[in-house]
Amino acid sequence: MGHDNNENGYSDHERCETTIIGGLFEYNVRGGITTAYGGHDTIYNAYCRKHANNGIALVGSATAAEGGRGSQIFAVGCICENNTINYYVIGDESGADEDFGKFVNCISLNARYGYLCQTNARIELNNCTDGGSSTAKSGNVIVNNAALVE
């Protein structure tokens, strides 16, 4: 559980490989779960809600100076609701490898962006849904399901 923190509910950085199984992440100043700058996270059944910024995010590229190779996030069965951006992946222009987020059976509810992908990054959605968000998906988002997120 990660709530009422002055930054993220949980975050890790370069060369971290983390598995999160379950958990409630809410009311943090920045985000629920944030993987950054070369981290590799696998997240199962997390519930992220009511953050000022992101529910689940992958931000910043790994740099050669840090010895990193591509940041990645794999989320299965997660629910994000009432965040500015529920699921977010962004790298930076200096990164040699693009950041990659793969989401399977995830639910997005009531956000400004359900699934947002920006600079030097891509997202793959497998049987994910969105309900009530102003924009369901934006950017380099590949949808592998039967019109659940359009």
Side-chain angles (χ1 to χ4, degrees):
M1 178 185 254
H3 63 88
D4 298 306
N5 293 303
N6 200 31
E7 191 181 38
N8 298 304
Y10 175 84
S11 64
D12 61 27
H13 296 268
E14 52 279 321
R15 294 180 300 280
C16 288
E17 293 187 19
T18 303
T19 300
I20 297 170
I21 301 173
L24 174 63
F25 301 84
E26 62 184 355
Y27 300 104
N28 295 296
V29 171
R30 291 190 65 195
I33 299 171
T34 302
T35 304
Y37 303 105
H40 297 255
D41 284 356
T42 302
I43 305 163
Y44 298 97
N45 304 316
Y47 184 34
C48 300
R49 67 182 187 151
K50 299 186 178 181
H51 304 291
N53 291 327
N54 315 303
I56 295 176
L58 172 60
V59 300
S61 298
T63 65
E66 291 292 334
R69 290 282 300 178
S71 306
Q72 298 173 341
I73 192 167
F74 179 55
V76 179
C78 296
I79 300 171
C80 289
E81 73 170 308
N82 296 318
N83 304 291
T84 302
I85 304 167
N86 280 336
Y87 299 91
Y88 183 46
V89 178
I90 182 172
D92 56 61
E93 292 178 11
S94 65
D97 298 314
E98 71 178 359
D99 287 356
F100 177 60
K102 185 169 189 169
F103 303 99
V104 178
N105 297 326
C106 291
I107 299 170
S108 166
L109 300 167
N110 305 319
R112 182 176 299 151
Y113 292 96
Y115 303 88
L116 177 61
C117 186
Q118 291 186 315
T119 304
N120 199 27
R122 68 187 159 97
I123 290 176
E124 182 180 318
L125 304 179
N126 295 282
N127 298 317
C128 294
T129 61
D130 180 84
S133 295
S134 299
T135 302
K137 68 178 178 68
S138 181
N140 187 13
V141 180
I142 300 162
V143 178
N144 294 324
N145 55 348
L148 297 175
V149 175
E150 300 232 356

